[in-house]
Amino acid sequence: MKKGMVVGLSIMALIGFCIVLFYQVTHIDKPVVRKSMVSKRTNIIDFVTETISDEETPLSAEIEDEEPEDGISVKNKNKIPQKEIESSEITSFYCNFSTLYEEDTHTMGNKQWKLRADFDGKTVKGSYKAFNSDSNDERRFDADKSFMKELFEIIRRYDLASYNGLDNETKGIPDEYGATLSVMFESGENIYASDNAENFLPIDAEDAFVQLFASACAKGSDVIGVSVTGHYEDVEVSGGRGHISFPLVHLGRTDAFGKVDELKYPTEDELHEAIDNINSFEMDEALAAKDSFEKGSKDKELFYDSDLFVTRNDTEVISLYVRENSRRDVNSSSISSFYRTYNVDSITGNELEFSDVFRDIQGLPGLIEERLRKKYPGHKFDKDIEEHIRKSITENDGDVCFALGNGFTHIFINEGVADNEPGSYHVTLPFEDNTKLISNFYTAYPEKTFTRLDYDTDYFLRGGLDFRMEYEIDEEEDITWRGISGRQTEELSLYGYAPEVYLTTMKDKNYLFLNVPTGDVSFYGIVYEITENGIEIPEDNGDLGLSVIPETTLDPDYVLMYVNEVIDGTVCFMYPTGVFKIDDDGFPVPASKEFRLTGGKVAIRESGRYNPRNSADASHSGGMFYVAEGTEVTPYASDLSNYIDFITVGEDESRIIRFTIDKFSSDMKLDNFGGLDKVFK
């Protein structure tokens, strides 16, 4: 009997064990519920230098942290979130958000953004990151305390404290959505809001954050030397003539012998590769045009000409445009014209698109149409021109393209977009008139620039000044050149062809260099200054003995120039735009870092006769120049050892006076050139 009872009890125990085991198995997928604070996502830990503890965050209330399946959302909110922040002193800021799938965004396209700034009491240390599947832009910067004040102003303006306490997380979705905002204040207050599925931040607030960080870490303050050379080739055409010409771009400093020294401008390999690709493409286009030339005629030459203008060359971006004109068929009634542009990031070598640069893509087409109708009043454009422009920008097909300039941007509208007429259109949009036109990465540019100018183009300069130039040619090939600034127009009568013109900006000064043809292969140079009063020859400028070499380095410190007269020995020419020394080989080289000989004007102390600079001037003047007391002069040239020439200013015809000096020094003051203090007032 006992044996039977034992067996029975064993069977019952076995049955009970099986029941318990079955229960555990059937409930194995149930989550284990525990009491704790919801953990923050790892990307916050990566970017916030100080871990936010339970005491430091408004989300310190106990919240059940369950581990749901993928796709399940956990929505956690602090019971008493702080919706108003009394302090305005930010010590730490972090924000990430995604615009990858937003259609209407002001923040330069569809990307993910991570912005961080920490203040240690003296300096703000910041980082910026914008990325998508095609690009990744990471930068760091230092700023002063005012940066944090501007951050707080954005937070206040868009009432971002009202999102405090939001903490929604959807499990299992990729890190391509939503937003996070974490701000810590000196008072101990903080703001924390996060949603990894939905971007809760206002678009305008995102744009304000991005533009503030862009201003802090923009790197376009230094010039990168760029020069342009041309290739010309005659082409044999059956029954006629033909030719092709195309440009080549070079990075570095071009010397007097046409060689390029890249070490003068250390740049990234990616930028060199991008420039090489541009040169290859331009050459291929020219060769393809050459192969397309059909039977010619003696009356019409077949040709392909492309001209290149560098519009910006600094450590942020290299921008340029190519104007292509061609006649590939003698039966064509018009010359085909086309513009294409290149905007290359100076660090990554990536080519920038509209969405990378312009903030309001939706409003841009209307702005372009407005400028187009203003420049060409009375012209009959298509009524749907704005939509045609928008379509081209959206598709990035090149029919509408842009090239960044210094303080403005060029916009080109190629044939078939604005109307059905042959030819293309070119307008410019100034940054000052359109403060939200482009990203703050590209609004800053070097204080000193040197740029070749194009005709029939509006240029916008610092100080609210503007300039454009145009020319007319009559049947006898006489040229009338006009420079226009404000309401004032300067005219020159020339022969042969319109001069090449270069613009030099030096802080608050703007100068024009004109290479004026003399009727043969030579030039002489003219300098104008653009001021609030219009265009004028500066008083402290000499009769230019130099003209700009077309292949010059586009850098005001390394301008290459022709010597327009025979000079023996070393001579230094001084102009408002810089100092140029004639070296032993007879070439002008920049000397502004060696010799500080430019400056204002001085006046002759006593009336009398003074030596001309050479025998030719002496023969025209009867031996010596008579110069009246008070006549103003400015330095013109020197051999840097024995003499210095001054040129009179304010006279109808300037005269150059030579003084022998007792001693010479590179840091002599203008009113004391080696014992000349007794000569000048």
Side-chain angles (χ1 to χ4, degrees):
M1 182 175 176
K2 288 181 179 180
K3 182 178 181 180
M5 291 180 62
V6 170
V7 171
L9 289 171
S10 300
I11 293 173
M12 292 178 64
L14 180 62
I15 293 173
F17 176 78
C18 291
I19 292 173
V20 171
L21 181 62
F22 176 76
Y23 179 84
Q24 292 291 335
V25 170
T26 57
H27 290 74
I28 196 169
D29 60 337
K30 296 288 185 179
V32 178
V33 179
R34 63 179 183 274
K35 298 280 187 177
S36 71
M37 193 182 95
V38 176
S39 61
K40 305 296 181 293
R41 292 194 297 277
T42 55
N43 51 16
I44 298 173
I45 301 299
D46 292 340
F47 283 84
V48 178
T49 55
E50 183 177 351
T51 303
I52 300 175
S53 67
D54 287 354
E55 291 77 24
E56 295 171 325
T57 173
L59 299 180
S60 57
E62 289 189 351
I63 302 172
E64 291 189 353
D65 184 5
E66 298 184 351
E67 298 181 2
E69 299 176 355
D70 289 350
I72 300 299
S73 296
V74 177
K75 296 187 177 182
N76 303 306
K77 288 188 177 181
N78 187 13
K79 295 179 181 179
I80 310 177
Q82 189 176 359
K83 300 295 186 180
E84 294 185 3
I85 303 296
E86 295 182 2
S87 175
S88 62
E89 305 294 327
I90 297 175
T91 58
S92 182
F93 171 90
Y94 171 73
C95 180
N96 72 46
F97 57 90
S98 170
T99 61
L100 285 173
Y101 306 105
E102 295 182 12
E103 294 183 359
D104 299 326
T105 174
H106 293 199
T107 48
M108 302 170 297
N110 301 110
K111 300 179 182 180
Q112 290 177 263
W113 312 82
K114 293 184 178 181
L115 312 174
R116 170 194 160 190
D118 295 298
F119 182 56
D120 61 7
K122 295 182 178 180
T123 306
V124 175
K125 300 286 186 180
S127 64
Y128 167 97
K129 183 176 182 179
F131 60 100
N132 56 25
S133 59
D134 299 322
S135 65
N136 182 29
D137 187 2
E138 294 189 60
R139 312 182 188 208
R140 296 185 181 276
F141 64 90
D142 292 343
D144 58 30
K145 189 177 180 180
S146 63
F147 181 88
M148 289 306 203
K149 293 185 179 296
E150 294 184 65
L151 266 180
F152 177 77
E153 177 58 28
I154 296 172
I155 293 170
R156 185 202 62 77
R157 185 188 314 147
Y158 296 101
D159 193 21
L160 299 186
S162 64
Y163 297 98
N164 204 5
L166 175 68
D167 192 6
N168 298 338
E169 185 172 9
T170 301
K171 296 292 184 177
I173 63 174
D175 187 22
E176 297 179 352
Y177 308 91
T180 296
L181 176 67
S182 177
V183 188
M184 299 182 66
F185 294 84
E186 191 175 31
S187 63
E189 298 170 292
N190 51 42
I191 299 172
Y192 180 84
S194 179
D195 190 326
N196 73 331
E198 183 178 350
N199 185 350
F200 57 87
L201 292 172
I203 289 178
D204 288 338
E206 294 172 348
D207 182 61
F209 281 142
V210 169
Q211 298 311 318
L212 176 60
F213 275 76
S215 297
C217 55
K219 52 184 183 288
S221 58
D222 297 316
V223 168
I224 291 179
V226 176
S227 59
V228 181
T229 59
H231 176 84
Y232 180 92
E233 181 180 335
D234 287 317
V235 179
E236 293 185 5
V237 178
S238 175
R241 298 171 295 119
H243 76 263
I244 61 172
S245 66
F246 59 90
L248 296 172
V249 185
H250 309 279
L251 289 176
R253 174 183 174 181
T254 304
D255 65 17
F257 300 95
K259 296 180 180 179
V260 176
D261 185 354
E262 297 177 352
L263 297 179
K264 295 294 182 181
Y265 294 90
T267 51
E268 303 294 334
D269 292 340
E270 291 81 359
L271 180 58
H272 283 273
E273 182 179 353
I275 296 299
D276 289 343
N277 291 337
I278 292 174
N279 289 335
S280 296
F281 183 86
E282 291 303 318
M283 183 172 64
D284 290 344
E285 287 291 296
L287 295 178
K290 171 184 173 181
D291 293 339
S292 71
F293 287 170
E294 299 180 1
K295 185 177 180 180
S297 72
K298 296 181 180 180
D299 299 332
K300 288 185 179 180
E301 181 181 14
L302 300 183
F303 65 89
Y304 173 93
D305 290 325
S306 58
D307 197 3
L308 187 149
F309 292 83
V310 177
T311 58
R312 182 165 171 176
N313 51 303
D314 55 56
T315 44
E316 184 72 57
V317 62
I318 303 290
S319 291
L320 52 95
Y321 67 86
V322 175
R323 182 175 59 234
E324 172 192 308
N325 292 313
S326 65
R327 179 190 289 124
R328 311 187 192 196
D329 184 354
V330 294
N331 296 319
S332 176
S333 59
S334 62
I335 295 175
S336 174
S337 68
F338 187 82
Y339 287 98
R340 56 179 163 271
T341 63
Y342 303 91
N343 299 276
V344 181
D345 186 288
S346 298
I347 300 298
T348 66
N350 294 333
E351 191 165 346
L352 304 174
E353 299 179 357
F354 275 98
S355 59
D356 298 311
V357 174
F358 291 85
R359 293 170 62 181
D360 186 5
I361 295 294
Q362 297 302 316
L364 181 61
L367 194 61
I368 295 174
E369 180 187 4
E370 179 183 343
R371 179 66 74 172
L372 196 61
R373 294 187 184 279
K374 182 178 180 180
K375 183 175 180 179
Y376 303 97
H379 185 83
K380 293 184 178 179
F381 292 106
D382 288 348
K383 63 178 181 179
D384 297 327
I385 179 176
E386 182 177 346
E387 291 307 313
H388 295 165
I389 293 173
R390 176 174 285 106
K391 181 176 183 294
S392 178
I393 291 175
T394 303
E395 297 178 356
N396 198 38
D397 58 12
D399 287 341
V400 177
C401 50
F402 74 96
L404 286 168
N406 298 313
F408 61 96
T409 184
H410 299 264
I411 301 290
F412 304 93
I413 302 97
N414 282 310
E415 186 174 318
V417 175
D419 54 30
N420 294 320
E421 300 292 328
S424 304
Y425 299 98
H426 178 188
V427 297
T428 51
L429 303 175
F431 297 162
E432 286 188 1
D433 293 350
N434 307 277
T435 56
K436 292 187 176 182
L437 178 65
I438 67 167
S439 161
N440 285 350
F441 280 125
Y442 309 105
T443 55
Y445 56 93
E447 287 188 345
K448 295 172 62 177
T449 62
F450 190 78
T451 311
R452 179 187 167 212
L453 302 187
D454 199 358
Y455 282 89
D456 299 318
T457 302
D458 295 313
Y459 290 89
F460 299 92
L461 316 178
R462 282 192 175 99
L465 302 178
D466 59 78
F467 174 76
R468 65 178 282 111
M469 62 181 185
E470 55 192 35
Y471 72 92
E472 295 178 359
I473 183 168
D474 61 21
E475 296 179 354
E476 298 180 357
E477 297 187 352
D478 288 329
I479 300 286
T480 300
W481 177 89
R482 295 187 184 91
I484 306 164
S485 182
R487 297 181 178 180
Q488 196 256 349
T489 300
E490 181 74 16
E491 285 194 0
L492 285 176
S493 296
L494 311 168
Y495 177 79
Y497 47 89
E500 284 196 341
V501 180
Y502 297 83
L503 171 69
T504 298
T505 62
M506 304 179 68
K507 294 185 178 180
D508 57 344
K509 298 287 187 179
N510 300 282
Y511 296 101
L512 297 174
F513 268 117
L514 274 70
N515 281 355
V516 178
T518 61
D520 49 23
V521 296
S522 63
F523 300 85
Y524 69 91
I526 295 180
V527 170
Y528 288 105
E529 183 177 0
I530 303 174
T531 69
E532 294 179 352
N533 298 323
I535 305 169
E536 53 191 29
I537 295 180
E539 291 184 348
D540 55 348
N541 174 63
D543 178 18
L544 271 185
L546 307 173
S547 57
V548 179
I549 295 177
E551 295 81 15
T552 185
T553 308
L554 296 175
D555 181 336
D557 289 332
Y558 297 107
V559 178
L560 291 182
M561 308 191 84
Y562 282 122
V563 182
N564 299 331
E565 55 188 278
V566 178
I567 296 174
D568 295 325
T570 301
V571 175
C572 188
F573 287 88
M574 291 148 284
Y575 303 111
T577 51
V579 181
F580 302 93
K581 181 178 68 175
I582 308 304
D583 63 14
D584 294 336
D585 297 307
F587 291 97
V589 294
S592 58
K593 295 181 179 179
E594 273 184 86
F595 304 101
R596 297 181 290 277
L597 296 174
T598 55
K601 300 178 292 295
V602 290
I604 295 293
R605 184 182 294 274
E606 296 181 3
S607 299
R609 295 190 177 276
Y610 294 84
N611 293 320
R613 61 173 167 167
N614 53 39
S615 58
D617 287 355
S619 64
H620 291 304
S621 63
M624 300 184 76
F625 287 135
Y626 176 82
V627 183
E629 175 188 349
T631 300
E632 291 183 325
V633 297
T634 192
Y636 168 63
S638 173
D639 66 350
L640 308 179
S641 61
N642 300 307
Y643 71 84
I644 183 166
D645 292 338
F646 283 78
I647 187 168
T648 60
V649 296
E651 296 184 336
D652 293 336
E653 187 172 343
S654 297
R655 298 174 293 170
I656 298 175
I657 308 168
R658 172 159 294 181
F659 294 99
T660 301
I661 57 179
D662 301 330
K663 59 183 179 179
F664 188 89
S665 171
S666 62
D667 59 356
M668 288 188 297
K669 295 181 180 179
L670 178 61
D671 59 353
N672 185 17
F673 281 101
L676 293 180
D677 52 315
K678 297 179 180 179
V679 178
F680 303 119
K681 290 183 178 180

